[in-house]
Each structure stands twice: as C-alpha cells, then as structure tokens.
C-alpha cells in the first residue's frame, strides 16, 4: 500500500512538472520598444502647421507632445508664439512652437489665434520708403542668420527694411508668411514668398518693387531679380501684405 501511494504521488509530481514546462514554452517574451523607436514614430505623426498664437494662460513648453514629456520652460500668459507643426497625443492636439528662443510643444487649447496682422502697405508705412531702403542695401553680402548691414539672410533683410520704415516684422520666413495675408494684385512694398528653394515649403522672401521684379538678399548678395527668372519664377509662391 505504501509503495502504491508513493508511486501515485511521484506520478503526480512528474505530471505537474510537465504542464509547468509546457506552459513556459508557450510564453512569448514582450520587448519594450526602444526610446529611439518611440521618438521616430512620434515624430512621423507630426504634420505642418503655420500660424501665430497668443497664450491664454501660463503654459508649459515640453520636449514633445503629451503631458508626460519633460518641461523645457513655462511661457507666460500673453506670450506670442509661432506654430510650425502639430500632432495628437491621445485625444489632445499639440502645436510645435517657437517661444523665447526655444522650440517645444504646447497644448493647443492653451492658446488662441493672434488677430494681429502685419501690413506691408498701409497709410502709416510708405511703400516707396520700403523700396528705397531696400534698394539702398543692394550689394551687401548674403549671410545665413544675418540681420545687419554686415550681412543679411532673406528674412533678416526684410525685417531690417520694414523696421527702418516704422513697421515690425518677426524674424523668420515662416513667421513672416504666417502673420501676413495673401494678395492677388501686388503693390510695391508687398512681400513676395518662394517655396522649395533650400528646403521644402515656404523658404524664401523678398520685397516686390514693381514691373515683375523683387529685391532680396539671396545668392551672394542683396540684389534685384525678376519673377520671370528661370530659377525664381518656378519657385514663386505668393504675394502677401
């Protein structure tokens, strides 16, 4: 009887061990995605977004879309920001913005569209003055990131010219595009934008001077070019003021 009980007990232990081993074989380990992969997938969801906005509250600027991401800084209520991209994090829409010299993501509901528009042709700004100022700067060398008479890039050139005539423009081609309105019939002093030059999308700006010509800082220096030019003509995008 003792021998029989021992045999049954041993058989039960062997049987239990077999099931346990079989269960282990059918388990598939799950590997968490690397942080690099997560970032690539996250970045791939971003789409282009342009516009100027004002923060309705003190707002956290984060390294990526989503409240779980690291905070870069807190921007104050009333700060004006310029959006370049947007994407969703769960059910929330986030905008990638430039603010206080830094780039990061802010929840879209924390901001409202800016109603202020920069006008290139108003009674308070002389169009002829804009053109005269711009023409006087011809020959100054092109310098990427340049904003002074030591050298201009395209948006640094337009910003400088407008400031000399009592009107403020923001710093970059994209923000100048976002804060102005498209016009179908251009006037001298209007901004003229080009796309797909050194990067995809809006990428260059100049000042229309009439007779199908514009003055800009591009190539080697500030100069006058024609909108019928074999290079600039196909890249023309729009007139704006």
């Amino acid at each position: 009887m003792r021998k029989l009980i021992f045999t049954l007990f041993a058989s039960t232990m062997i049987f239990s061990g077999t099931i346990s081993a079989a269960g282990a074989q059918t388990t598939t380990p799950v590997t968490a995605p690397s942080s690099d992969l997560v970032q690539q997938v996250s970045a791939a969801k971003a789409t282009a977004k342009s516009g100027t906005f004002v923060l309705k509250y003190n707002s956290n600027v984060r390294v990526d879309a989503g409240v779980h991401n690291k905070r870069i800084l807190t921007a104050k209520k009333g700060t004006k920001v310029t959006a370049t991209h947007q994407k969703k994090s769960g059910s929330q829409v986030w905008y990638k913005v430039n603010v206080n010299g830094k780039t990061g993501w802010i929840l879209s509901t924390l901001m409202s569209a800016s109603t202020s528009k920069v006008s290139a042709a108003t009674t308070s700004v002389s169009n002829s003055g804009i053109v005269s100022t711009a023409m006087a700067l011809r020959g100054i060398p092109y310098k990427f990131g340049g904003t002074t008479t030591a050298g201009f890039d395209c948006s640094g050139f337009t910003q400088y010219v407008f400031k000399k005539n009592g009107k403020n423009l923001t710093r970059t081609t994209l923000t100048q595009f976002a804060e102005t309105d498209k016009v179908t019939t251009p006037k001298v002093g209007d901004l003229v934008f080009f796309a797909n030059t050194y990067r995809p999308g809006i990428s260059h700006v100049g000042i229309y001077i009439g007779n199908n010509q514009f003055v800009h800082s591009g190539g080697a220096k500030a100069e006058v070019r024609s909108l019928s030019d074999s290079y600039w003509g196909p890249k023309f995008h729009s007139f704006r003021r």
Side-chain angles (χ1 to χ4, degrees), residues 15 23 25 27 31 36 38 71 118 126 141 154 159 199 211 229:
F15 181 69
Q25 290 174 358
T27 302
T31 303
D36 289 342
V38 171
R71 180 178 64 86
V118 174
S126 168
C154 65
Q159 183 188 50
R199 69 179 182 214
N211 298 321
D229 181 275

Side-chain angles (χ1 to χ4, degrees), residues 87-193:
K87 65 179 171 181
K88 295 188 72 174
S89 175
S91 61
Q92 298 175 326
V93 177
W94 291 68
Y95 291 165
K96 186 176 185 180
V97 300
N98 296 313
V99 52
N100 297 336
K102 295 183 180 295
T103 300
W105 293 82
I106 299 180
L107 184 62
S108 62
T109 55
L110 299 178
M111 59 185 93
S112 58
S114 173
T115 57
S116 63
K117 294 286 183 179
V118 174
S119 173
T122 66
T123 56
S124 63
V125 179
S126 168
N127 291 349
S128 60
I130 289 174
V131 172
S132 296
T133 302
M135 294 293 280
L137 298 173
R138 286 176 298 171
I140 290 178
Y142 176 88
K143 180 181 180 181
F144 188 79
T147 59
T148 71
T149 52
F152 293 108
D153 64 13
C154 65
S155 56
F157 178 80
T158 52
Q159 183 188 50
Y160 181 91
V161 171
F162 273 68
K163 185 175 183 179
K164 286 293 183 180
N165 286 271
K167 199 68 176 178
N168 290 325
L169 279 177
T170 50
R171 174 63 187 90
T172 70
T173 305
L174 284 175
T175 58
Q176 290 179 14
F177 181 85
E179 65 189 357
T180 51
D181 293 311
K182 182 179 179 180
V183 293
T184 55
T185 304
K187 297 180 180 180
V188 295
D190 284 346
L191 295 175
V192 53
F193 288 88

Side-chain angles (χ1 to χ4, degrees), residues 8 10 40 44 58 61 73 99 120 148 150 165 179 207 226 238 241:
L8 289 172
Q40 290 172 10
N58 290 345
V61 183
L73 58 89
V99 52
T148 71
N165 286 271
E179 65 189 357
I207 299 171
S226 171
S238 58
R241 74 170 70 111

Side-chain angles (χ1 to χ4, degrees), residues 62 64-70 89 92 94 107:
R62 300 185 181 275
D64 203 351
V67 295
H68 59 283
N69 287 298
K70 182 181 178 181
S89 175
Q92 298 175 326
W94 291 68
L107 184 62

Side-chain angles (χ1 to χ4, degrees), residues 45-51 83-87 95:
K45 294 179 181 179
T47 57
K49 172 71 178 181
S50 64
T84 58
H85 295 81
Q86 67 177 14
K87 65 179 171 181
Y95 291 165

